[in-house]
Amino acid sequence: IPDPQPMNNAATSPVPPDAAALAALQAFLTDLPAGAMTLERLDGFLSALNCAASPPGPSVWLAQVWGESAEAQVSFENEAQARAIAGTLMKLHESIGAALERGGRGGASHRPRLALRPDGLPGGNDWASGFVLGMQIAPEGWQPLLADDEAGQALVPIMMLHHEHDEDEALRPPPIDAAMRAELPEVLADVLLQLHQQLAPARRELQRSERQALTFRRSAPKVGRNDPCPCGSGRKYKACCALQAG
């Protein structure tokens, strides 16, 4: 299974996958054993990853998309299909992040994809469950928000949907009436943007630290083989740490 690779570059802004690509992804996920994500759950899941202060890479989250029990049974018709599915996943992931960034600048933000119930109203439970799963696989990325009770209030609508049909009655929220449910797409879009903005300082700090670490590695002087070993042993580098470095 190929890991999705980043699709965007500095010259282009990520665009969402088209309807045909999404339909192919949905059909592929539907054919997997029980446990694979629906598109609604996937949207919530990727939304959470894009909000997190330190999101995991595809090698971590991809197994959750297939469903952990189904991962070993995932197979593709050919390499072209494998690359197409992986490409659609990464496009979806990056386009959600780009939309949230755009929303933070006052533009159109990401609107969660919510499946409709038989009564024609948006469900939202599957989306919320995907979002919570995205939080659970990257818990450290949510600590800056969870440590602040006031900021954490933004999660309440998501948690209400997540627990709406919980087996534990004590965790179920008050009933969500039809009027409230009809407004879910707008409510969740606002909540999502708020969460993304609240965690933005932590994301920027992580990016700054990563850039500094990269600069340090690039700027470190190259040690000559006959120079003193930087470990402080007093021996020449070629007779010390160079042996371990190969």
Side-chain angles (χ1 to χ4, degrees):
I1 303 170
D3 278 352
Q5 298 299 312
M7 306 291 290
N8 64 312
N9 54 54
T12 61
S13 178
V15 295
D18 59 29
L22 285 175
L25 175 59
Q26 183 173 24
F28 180 79
L29 294 173
T30 300
D31 287 342
L32 291 178
M37 289 189 178
T38 62
L39 282 187
E40 180 180 1
R41 182 180 292 245
L42 177 62
D43 191 275
F45 179 69
L46 296 179
S47 295
L49 296 186
N50 272 291
C51 287
S54 53
S59 61
V60 175
W61 58 256
L62 190 59
Q64 302 294 333
V65 176
W66 312 136
E68 290 185 335
S69 62
E71 186 183 16
Q73 303 177 51
V74 173
S75 63
F76 299 91
E77 294 176 359
N78 48 50
E79 183 177 351
Q81 186 197 37
R83 293 189 178 279
I85 294 298
T88 299
L89 281 169
M90 186 50 71
K91 268 191 171 184
L92 186 57
H93 179 269
E94 292 183 347
S95 64
I96 290 173
L100 289 170
E101 291 289 346
R102 186 170 59 245
R105 299 190 298 269
S109 189
H110 178 62
R111 183 182 174 90
R113 294 175 175 84
L114 304 183
L116 297 181
R117 306 189 313 178
D119 61 6
L121 293 172
N125 306 108
D126 213 20
W127 189 93
S129 293
F131 193 96
V132 171
L133 179 59
M135 293 178 63
Q136 290 172 340
I137 69 166
E140 66 284 350
W142 289 88
Q143 288 308 310
L145 187 140
L146 296 177
D148 185 333
D149 290 342
E150 184 175 351
Q153 290 298 308
L155 287 167
V156 169
I158 296 175
M159 292 304 174
M160 287 178 64
L161 286 169
H162 178 59
H163 292 293
E164 185 177 13
H165 305 296
D166 202 293
E167 293 182 358
D168 186 347
E169 292 186 11
L171 295 177
R172 294 178 196 168
I176 302 174
D177 62 31
M180 293 174 60
R181 193 169 290 278
E183 296 177 355
L184 279 179
E186 290 74 23
V187 170
L188 291 178
D190 290 345
V191 165
L192 187 56
L193 182 57
Q194 181 180 349
L195 292 170
H196 187 264
Q197 291 178 308
Q198 286 176 330
L199 287 166
R203 284 195 305 275
R204 287 194 292 266
E205 177 60 25
L206 176 65
Q207 292 167 359
R208 185 186 67 81
S209 299
E210 290 176 342
R211 285 196 298 270
Q212 286 182 337
L214 182 60
T215 300
F216 176 79
R217 289 196 297 270
R218 287 177 174 172
S219 62
K222 184 176 181 180
V223 181
R225 290 181 58 78
N226 289 313
D227 291 340
C229 188
C231 75
S233 66
R235 291 178 289 178
K236 291 184 177 181
Y237 177 62
K238 66 181 180 181
C240 190
C241 290
L243 299 176
Q244 300 178 30

Short mmCIF file of all heavy atoms in Angstrom, two decimals, residues 97-143:
data_model
loop_
_atom_site.label_atom_id
_atom_site.label_comp_id
_atom_site.label_asym_id
_atom_site.label_seq_id
_atom_site.Cartn_x
_atom_site.Cartn_y
_atom_site.Cartn_z
N GLY A 97 -6.85 21.24 4.93
CA GLY A 97 -5.92 22.14 5.60
C GLY A 97 -5.85 23.50 4.94
O GLY A 97 -5.83 24.54 5.61
N ALA A 98 -5.82 23.50 3.59
CA ALA A 98 -5.76 24.77 2.86
C ALA A 98 -7.02 25.60 3.08
O ALA A 98 -6.96 26.83 3.22
CB ALA A 98 -5.56 24.50 1.37
N ALA A 99 -8.18 24.93 3.12
CA ALA A 99 -9.44 25.65 3.34
C ALA A 99 -9.49 26.26 4.74
O ALA A 99 -9.99 27.38 4.92
CB ALA A 99 -10.62 24.70 3.13
N LEU A 100 -8.97 25.54 5.73
CA LEU A 100 -8.95 26.08 7.09
C LEU A 100 -8.01 27.27 7.20
O LEU A 100 -8.30 28.26 7.88
CB LEU A 100 -8.54 24.98 8.08
CG LEU A 100 -9.59 23.89 8.30
CD1 LEU A 100 -9.01 22.72 9.09
CD2 LEU A 100 -10.81 24.45 9.01
N GLU A 101 -6.88 27.20 6.51
CA GLU A 101 -5.96 28.34 6.49
C GLU A 101 -6.63 29.53 5.81
O GLU A 101 -6.51 30.67 6.27
CB GLU A 101 -4.68 27.97 5.74
CG GLU A 101 -3.80 26.95 6.46
CD GLU A 101 -3.12 27.53 7.69
OE1 GLU A 101 -3.12 28.77 7.85
OE2 GLU A 101 -2.58 26.75 8.50
N ARG A 102 -7.34 29.26 4.73
CA ARG A 102 -8.05 30.32 4.01
C ARG A 102 -9.14 30.94 4.89
O ARG A 102 -9.33 32.16 4.90
CB ARG A 102 -8.65 29.74 2.73
CG ARG A 102 -9.29 30.77 1.80
CD ARG A 102 -9.63 30.15 0.45
NE ARG A 102 -10.56 29.03 0.57
CZ ARG A 102 -10.26 27.77 0.27
NH1 ARG A 102 -9.06 27.44 -0.16
NH2 ARG A 102 -11.17 26.82 0.39
N GLY A 103 -9.84 30.09 5.63
CA GLY A 103 -10.86 30.59 6.54
C GLY A 103 -10.28 31.50 7.61
O GLY A 103 -10.91 32.48 8.00
N GLY A 104 -9.09 31.17 8.07
CA GLY A 104 -8.43 32.00 9.06
C GLY A 104 -8.07 33.37 8.54
O GLY A 104 -7.87 34.32 9.32
N ARG A 105 -7.98 33.50 7.22
CA ARG A 105 -7.67 34.81 6.60
C ARG A 105 -8.94 35.53 6.15
O ARG A 105 -8.87 36.54 5.45
CB ARG A 105 -6.73 34.62 5.41
CG ARG A 105 -5.38 34.01 5.77
CD ARG A 105 -4.42 34.07 4.60
NE ARG A 105 -4.90 33.30 3.45
CZ ARG A 105 -4.61 32.03 3.23
NH1 ARG A 105 -3.85 31.36 4.10
NH2 ARG A 105 -5.07 31.40 2.17
N GLY A 106 -10.11 34.96 6.50
CA GLY A 106 -11.37 35.60 6.16
C GLY A 106 -12.03 35.07 4.91
O GLY A 106 -13.08 35.57 4.50
N GLY A 107 -11.43 34.05 4.28
CA GLY A 107 -12.02 33.46 3.09
C GLY A 107 -12.96 32.32 3.42
O GLY A 107 -13.32 32.10 4.59
N ALA A 108 -13.35 31.58 2.38
CA ALA A 108 -14.25 30.44 2.58
C ALA A 108 -13.49 29.30 3.23
O ALA A 108 -12.47 28.85 2.72
CB ALA A 108 -14.83 29.99 1.23
N SER A 109 -13.99 28.83 4.36
CA SER A 109 -13.33 27.75 5.10
C SER A 109 -13.90 26.39 4.69
O SER A 109 -14.75 26.29 3.81
CB SER A 109 -13.49 27.98 6.60
OG SER A 109 -12.68 27.07 7.33
N HIS A 110 -13.41 25.36 5.36
CA HIS A 110 -13.86 24.01 5.04
C HIS A 110 -15.27 23.78 5.59
O HIS A 110 -15.57 24.11 6.74
CB HIS A 110 -12.92 22.98 5.65
CG HIS A 110 -13.35 21.57 5.41
ND1 HIS A 110 -13.47 21.03 4.15
CD2 HIS A 110 -13.70 20.57 6.28
CE1 HIS A 110 -13.88 19.77 4.24
NE2 HIS A 110 -14.03 19.47 5.52
N ARG A 111 -16.13 23.21 4.76
CA ARG A 111 -17.48 22.85 5.18
C ARG A 111 -17.53 21.32 5.32
O ARG A 111 -17.36 20.60 4.33
CB ARG A 111 -18.50 23.32 4.14
CG ARG A 111 -19.96 23.04 4.53
CD ARG A 111 -20.88 23.50 3.39
NE ARG A 111 -22.28 23.13 3.63
CZ ARG A 111 -23.15 23.89 4.26
NH1 ARG A 111 -22.76 25.06 4.73
NH2 ARG A 111 -24.40 23.50 4.42
N PRO A 112 -17.72 20.82 6.53
CA PRO A 112 -17.71 19.37 6.74
C PRO A 112 -18.69 18.64 5.82
O PRO A 112 -19.80 19.12 5.57
CB PRO A 112 -18.11 19.22 8.21
CG PRO A 112 -17.66 20.50 8.84
CD PRO A 112 -17.89 21.55 7.80
N ARG A 113 -18.26 17.49 5.34
CA ARG A 113 -19.12 16.64 4.50
C ARG A 113 -19.96 15.75 5.41
O ARG A 113 -19.45 14.81 6.01
CB ARG A 113 -18.26 15.79 3.57
CG ARG A 113 -17.48 16.57 2.54
CD ARG A 113 -16.56 15.66 1.74
NE ARG A 113 -15.89 16.37 0.67
CZ ARG A 113 -14.78 17.08 0.81
NH1 ARG A 113 -14.20 17.16 2.00
NH2 ARG A 113 -14.22 17.69 -0.22
N LEU A 114 -21.23 16.04 5.51
CA LEU A 114 -22.12 15.29 6.39
C LEU A 114 -23.14 14.52 5.55
O LEU A 114 -23.82 15.12 4.70
CB LEU A 114 -22.86 16.22 7.36
CG LEU A 114 -21.98 17.13 8.24
CD1 LEU A 114 -22.88 17.93 9.19
CD2 LEU A 114 -20.94 16.35 8.99
N ALA A 115 -23.25 13.23 5.78
CA ALA A 115 -24.25 12.43 5.08
C ALA A 115 -25.63 12.78 5.62
O ALA A 115 -25.79 13.17 6.79
CB ALA A 115 -23.96 10.94 5.27
N LEU A 116 -26.63 12.66 4.77
CA LEU A 116 -28.00 12.96 5.18
C LEU A 116 -28.69 11.71 5.73
O LEU A 116 -28.49 10.60 5.23
CB LEU A 116 -28.81 13.50 4.00
CG LEU A 116 -28.32 14.83 3.41
CD1 LEU A 116 -29.24 15.24 2.26
CD2 LEU A 116 -28.26 15.93 4.47
N ARG A 117 -29.49 11.90 6.75
CA ARG A 117 -30.28 10.82 7.33
C ARG A 117 -31.52 10.58 6.45
O ARG A 117 -31.80 11.36 5.53
CB ARG A 117 -30.71 11.18 8.75
CG ARG A 117 -29.56 11.58 9.65
CD ARG A 117 -30.00 11.72 11.10
NE ARG A 117 -31.22 12.50 11.27
CZ ARG A 117 -31.82 12.73 12.44
NH1 ARG A 117 -31.27 12.23 13.54
NH2 ARG A 117 -32.92 13.45 12.53
N PRO A 118 -32.27 9.51 6.70
CA PRO A 118 -33.49 9.26 5.93
C PRO A 118 -34.49 10.41 5.96
O PRO A 118 -35.26 10.59 5.01
CB PRO A 118 -34.07 8.01 6.59
CG PRO A 118 -32.88 7.29 7.12
CD PRO A 118 -31.95 8.37 7.60
N ASP A 119 -34.45 11.22 7.03
CA ASP A 119 -35.39 12.34 7.11
C ASP A 119 -34.88 13.59 6.38
O ASP A 119 -35.51 14.65 6.43
CB ASP A 119 -35.71 12.68 8.57
CG ASP A 119 -34.48 13.10 9.37
OD1 ASP A 119 -33.39 13.23 8.77
OD2 ASP A 119 -34.60 13.28 10.60
N GLY A 120 -33.72 13.45 5.72
CA GLY A 120 -33.18 14.56 4.96
C GLY A 120 -32.32 15.51 5.74
O GLY A 120 -31.74 16.46 5.17
N LEU A 121 -32.18 15.31 7.05
CA LEU A 121 -31.35 16.16 7.89
C LEU A 121 -29.94 15.59 7.99
O LEU A 121 -29.75 14.38 7.91
CB LEU A 121 -31.96 16.29 9.28
CG LEU A 121 -33.29 17.04 9.38
CD1 LEU A 121 -33.87 16.91 10.78
CD2 LEU A 121 -33.09 18.51 9.01
N PRO A 122 -28.94 16.45 8.18
CA PRO A 122 -27.57 15.94 8.32
C PRO A 122 -27.40 15.15 9.60
O PRO A 122 -27.98 15.49 10.64
CB PRO A 122 -26.73 17.23 8.34
CG PRO A 122 -27.66 18.31 8.79
CD PRO A 122 -29.00 17.93 8.25
N GLY A 123 -26.62 14.09 9.50
CA GLY A 123 -26.38 13.25 10.68
C GLY A 123 -25.31 13.86 11.57
O GLY A 123 -25.60 14.42 12.63
N GLY A 124 -24.06 13.75 11.14
CA GLY A 124 -22.96 14.34 11.90
C GLY A 124 -22.30 13.42 12.89
O GLY A 124 -21.18 13.68 13.32
N ASN A 125 -22.97 12.33 13.28
CA ASN A 125 -22.39 11.43 14.28
C ASN A 125 -21.12 10.75 13.76
O ASN A 125 -20.13 10.63 14.48
CB ASN A 125 -23.40 10.37 14.70
CG ASN A 125 -24.71 10.96 15.17
OD1 ASN A 125 -25.72 10.87 14.47
ND2 ASN A 125 -24.72 11.60 16.34
N ASP A 126 -21.17 10.30 12.51
CA ASP A 126 -20.00 9.63 11.93
C ASP A 126 -18.85 10.62 11.77
O ASP A 126 -17.69 10.28 11.99
CB ASP A 126 -20.38 9.02 10.58
CG ASP A 126 -19.63 7.74 10.29
OD1 ASP A 126 -19.12 7.12 11.25
OD2 ASP A 126 -19.56 7.35 9.11
N TRP A 127 -19.16 11.84 11.37
CA TRP A 127 -18.13 12.88 11.24
C TRP A 127 -17.47 13.13 12.59
O TRP A 127 -16.24 13.21 12.69
CB TRP A 127 -18.75 14.17 10.70
CG TRP A 127 -17.75 15.22 10.33
CD1 TRP A 127 -17.18 15.44 9.11
CD2 TRP A 127 -17.17 16.21 11.22
NE1 TRP A 127 -16.30 16.49 9.17
CE2 TRP A 127 -16.28 16.98 10.45
CE3 TRP A 127 -17.33 16.51 12.56
CZ2 TRP A 127 -15.55 18.05 10.99
CZ3 TRP A 127 -16.60 17.55 13.11
CH2 TRP A 127 -15.72 18.31 12.33
N ALA A 128 -18.28 13.28 13.63
CA ALA A 128 -17.75 13.55 14.96
C ALA A 128 -16.90 12.38 15.47
O ALA A 128 -15.86 12.59 16.09
CB ALA A 128 -18.89 13.82 15.94
N SER A 129 -17.32 11.16 15.18
CA SER A 129 -16.54 10.00 15.61
C SER A 129 -15.19 9.97 14.90
O SER A 129 -14.17 9.62 15.50
CB SER A 129 -17.31 8.71 15.31
OG SER A 129 -18.47 8.63 16.12
N GLY A 130 -15.18 10.35 13.62
CA GLY A 130 -13.90 10.44 12.91
C GLY A 130 -13.01 11.51 13.49
O GLY A 130 -11.80 11.33 13.62
N PHE A 131 -13.61 12.63 13.87
CA PHE A 131 -12.84 13.72 14.46
C PHE A 131 -12.21 13.28 15.78
O PHE A 131 -11.02 13.52 16.03
CB PHE A 131 -13.74 14.94 14.70
CG PHE A 131 -12.99 16.20 15.01
CD1 PHE A 131 -12.69 17.11 14.01
CD2 PHE A 131 -12.58 16.48 16.31
CE1 PHE A 131 -11.99 18.27 14.30
CE2 PHE A 131 -11.89 17.63 16.61
CZ PHE A 131 -11.58 18.54 15.60
N VAL A 132 -12.99 12.63 16.62
CA VAL A 132 -12.47 12.16 17.91
C VAL A 132 -11.35 11.15 17.71
O VAL A 132 -10.35 11.17 18.42
CB VAL A 132 -13.61 11.57 18.77
CG1 VAL A 132 -13.06 10.89 20.01
CG2 VAL A 132 -14.60 12.67 19.16
N LEU A 133 -11.49 10.28 16.72
CA LEU A 133 -10.43 9.31 16.43
C LEU A 133 -9.16 10.05 16.01
O LEU A 133 -8.05 9.67 16.41
CB LEU A 133 -10.87 8.35 15.34
CG LEU A 133 -9.84 7.30 14.90
CD1 LEU A 133 -9.43 6.43 16.08
CD2 LEU A 133 -10.41 6.44 13.78
N GLY A 134 -9.32 11.11 15.21
CA GLY A 134 -8.15 11.90 14.82
C GLY A 134 -7.46 12.54 16.01
O GLY A 134 -6.24 12.67 16.04
N MET A 135 -8.24 12.94 17.01
CA MET A 135 -7.65 13.47 18.24
C MET A 135 -6.91 12.38 19.01
O MET A 135 -5.84 12.61 19.57
CB MET A 135 -8.74 14.07 19.13
CG MET A 135 -9.42 15.31 18.57
SD MET A 135 -10.75 15.91 19.68
CE MET A 135 -9.82 16.33 21.16
N GLN A 136 -7.49 11.18 19.02
CA GLN A 136 -6.93 10.10 19.84
C GLN A 136 -5.60 9.58 19.31
O GLN A 136 -4.76 9.12 20.10
CB GLN A 136 -7.95 8.96 19.92
CG GLN A 136 -9.18 9.29 20.76
CD GLN A 136 -10.25 8.24 20.68
OE1 GLN A 136 -10.29 7.43 19.76
NE2 GLN A 136 -11.16 8.25 21.65
N ILE A 137 -5.39 9.62 17.99
CA ILE A 137 -4.11 9.10 17.48
C ILE A 137 -3.01 10.17 17.53
O ILE A 137 -1.85 9.86 17.26
CB ILE A 137 -4.24 8.54 16.05
CG1 ILE A 137 -4.49 9.66 15.03
CG2 ILE A 137 -5.30 7.47 15.96
CD1 ILE A 137 -4.28 9.20 13.61
N ALA A 138 -3.39 11.40 17.86
CA ALA A 138 -2.39 12.45 18.01
C ALA A 138 -2.69 13.27 19.26
O ALA A 138 -2.88 14.48 19.20
CB ALA A 138 -2.38 13.36 16.78
N PRO A 139 -2.77 12.61 20.43
CA PRO A 139 -3.22 13.31 21.64
C PRO A 139 -2.32 14.47 22.05
O PRO A 139 -2.81 15.48 22.56
CB PRO A 139 -3.22 12.20 22.71
CG PRO A 139 -2.27 11.17 22.18
CD PRO A 139 -2.43 11.20 20.70
N GLU A 140 -1.01 14.35 21.80
CA GLU A 140 -0.11 15.43 22.19
C GLU A 140 -0.40 16.71 21.40
O GLU A 140 -0.15 17.81 21.87
CB GLU A 140 1.35 15.01 21.99
CG GLU A 140 1.79 14.77 20.55
CD GLU A 140 1.29 13.45 19.98
OE1 GLU A 140 0.76 12.62 20.75
OE2 GLU A 140 1.45 13.25 18.76
N GLY A 141 -0.96 16.55 20.20
CA GLY A 141 -1.28 17.71 19.39
C GLY A 141 -2.48 18.49 19.88
O GLY A 141 -2.78 19.57 19.36
N TRP A 142 -3.20 17.95 20.88
CA TRP A 142 -4.39 18.61 21.41
C TRP A 142 -4.19 19.10 22.84
O TRP A 142 -5.08 19.72 23.42
CB TRP A 142 -5.58 17.66 21.34
CG TRP A 142 -6.01 17.45 19.93
CD1 TRP A 142 -5.54 16.52 19.04
CD2 TRP A 142 -6.95 18.25 19.20
NE1 TRP A 142 -6.14 16.68 17.82
CE2 TRP A 142 -7.01 17.73 17.89
CE3 TRP A 142 -7.74 19.34 19.54
CZ2 TRP A 142 -7.83 18.28 16.91
CZ3 TRP A 142 -8.57 19.88 18.57
CH2 TRP A 142 -8.60 19.35 17.28
N GLN A 143 -3.03 18.84 23.42
CA GLN A 143 -2.80 19.23 24.80
C GLN A 143 -2.90 20.74 25.02
O GLN A 143 -3.43 21.17 26.05
CB GLN A 143 -1.43 18.72 25.27
CG GLN A 143 -1.38 17.21 25.50
CD GLN A 143 -2.51 16.75 26.41
OE1 GLN A 143 -2.74 17.29 27.48
NE2 GLN A 143 -3.24 15.73 25.97
#
